[in-house]
Amino acid sequence: ANRYDCTQHLLLKKFLNQNKISRGLGSRIMHYVDFTLEFRHRRVHISKVHFLGLISGPLNIELHTELFAPTLCWHPCFSQILTMNKPMMREICTTAVLGTQNYAKNDMLFERGKEAKHMLFLTLGTLVYRFWPDDLAASRKVRMHEGSWFVEASLWMPWQHVGEMKALSEVDLVLVTSAKFRDICESYPEDFPLVRSYALLFWSEAHDQTLEALTDLGFPLEAHNERSAPPQSMVSGQFNMAQLTYAEEVQAQLLSWDD
């Protein structure tokens, strides 16, 4: 990875020089790329640690629980499951969770009209969700950031995606297989009423919403793509998370889709 990054770094500098890009703009581009690389590769991805394949039995169950339970607990239902029934949460983390899935920039996660089989939790990177309010010709785009979950509807009901989702950057997602989640919940009758109450609440909220509010992002839809003025410090070439966030918001609006 380091050799690849160094090669790409040299190619970028060569490209900027050959095309006579101004020194100021070239410097800003290089600063932005360096910052983005540092941010994206800060953590070791689980797929790179091959020795984890040697772990089995109780250690593997404990590892998966500590890896994935904190992410799942972003959602209140999973948080309550962990509090009330730790064995149930351990089984969810080891059986229903597919693990951390990685997608490259511009990868399509799902398409409109396809059956939804997983609830997704975004742990790294940025996604763009596109949908059509009230079946209008003009689509709307929403940027999804780390800490978001979506396609919750697949846990509680048969669900077809009503929009499309693409990766705006390299992203990591934790996927929960909906059918396995339901099977596990039904096998714990003492705590099944808790999960059933969340399902009934979701059904009730869905029934109360207008059709345009029924999206893969839940109820009600929260917009994250409001346009704003660029941060002043972008002009100086010094980048931080605010600048990266703004840049991704602009990219979300300009991202091309194959219609």
Side-chain angles (χ1 to χ4, degrees):
N2 288 336
R3 181 179 297 178
Y4 174 81
D5 290 344
C6 289
T7 301
Q8 290 299 311
H9 200 275
L10 291 173
L11 286 174
L12 177 58
K13 291 182 69 174
K14 188 174 182 179
F15 170 83
L16 296 173
N17 290 332
Q18 287 181 346
N19 288 277
K20 298 180 172 57
I21 303 301
S22 66
R23 181 176 297 179
L25 176 59
S27 177
R28 287 161 56 200
I29 290 173
M30 296 302 297
H31 277 297
Y32 181 79
V33 169
D34 289 342
F35 170 78
T36 305
L37 283 173
E38 180 184 358
F39 175 70
R40 297 302 181 201
H41 300 291
R42 189 177 298 165
R43 300 178 64 185
V44 177
H45 195 273
I46 190 172
S47 63
K48 304 296 184 183
V49 188
H50 301 298
F51 277 9
L52 289 177
L54 302 176
I55 300 174
S56 62
L59 281 179
N60 195 48
I61 292 173
E62 289 187 42
L63 175 63
H64 277 75
T65 302
E66 292 200 11
L67 280 174
F68 301 121
T71 297
L72 299 187
C73 287
W74 296 346
H75 189 284
C77 179
F78 290 97
S79 180
Q80 288 206 24
I81 289 173
L82 179 62
T83 300
M84 298 178 64
N85 193 328
K86 287 181 174 59
M88 183 177 176
M89 176 58 84
R90 286 196 288 268
E91 188 169 352
I92 290 171
C93 290
T94 55
T95 305
V97 173
L98 286 182
T100 302
Q101 305 294 310
N102 180 261
Y103 293 84
K105 182 177 180 179
N106 292 325
D107 278 356
M108 184 77 77
L109 275 70
F110 56 76
E111 298 179 4
R112 185 183 187 186
K114 300 293 186 180
E115 181 185 1
K117 298 181 180 180
H118 306 95
M119 182 179 180
L120 293 80
F121 294 78
L122 178 59
T123 59
L124 176 69
T126 309
L127 298 166
V128 180
Y129 179 69
R130 182 174 74 153
F131 71 109
W132 290 260
D134 226 1
D135 286 331
L136 298 178
S139 64
R140 179 181 173 189
K141 297 174 184 176
V142 180
R143 187 177 65 90
M144 304 300 296
H145 51 77
E146 295 170 27
S148 303
W149 73 76
F150 32 92
V151 203
E152 179 189 356
S154 68
L155 295 183
W156 316 123
M157 64 181 75
W159 182 260
Q160 289 186 338
H161 293 296
V162 296
E164 302 171 339
M165 186 165 281
K166 260 189 176 183
L168 188 60
S169 65
E170 181 177 332
V171 299
D172 285 347
L173 291 155
V174 172
L175 278 62
V176 178
T177 304
S178 302
K180 290 183 178 180
F181 169 77
R182 291 191 294 269
D183 289 342
I184 293 170
C185 293
E186 291 175 0
S187 68
Y188 289 87
E190 67 276 14
D191 292 307
F192 183 70
L194 166 69
V195 180
R196 184 174 181 271
S197 68
Y198 275 96
L200 292 175
L201 177 62
F202 191 92
W203 271 82
S204 176
E205 291 180 354
H207 184 268
D208 292 340
Q209 298 294 325
T210 60
L211 286 177
E212 66 178 8
L214 299 176
T215 76
D216 297 288
L217 307 186
F219 317 104
L221 175 67
E222 296 292 336
H224 300 281
N225 64 334
E226 298 297 329
R227 299 298 294 274
S228 56
Q232 191 65 31
S233 56
M234 286 191 74
V235 180
S236 67
Q238 300 299 317
F239 289 89
N240 55 33
M241 282 306 304
Q243 283 80 63
L244 180 61
T245 297
Y246 170 77
E248 289 179 337
E249 287 175 349
V250 174
Q251 288 178 339
Q253 300 306 309
L254 299 178
L255 185 66
S256 62
W257 298 72
D258 296 324
D259 292 315

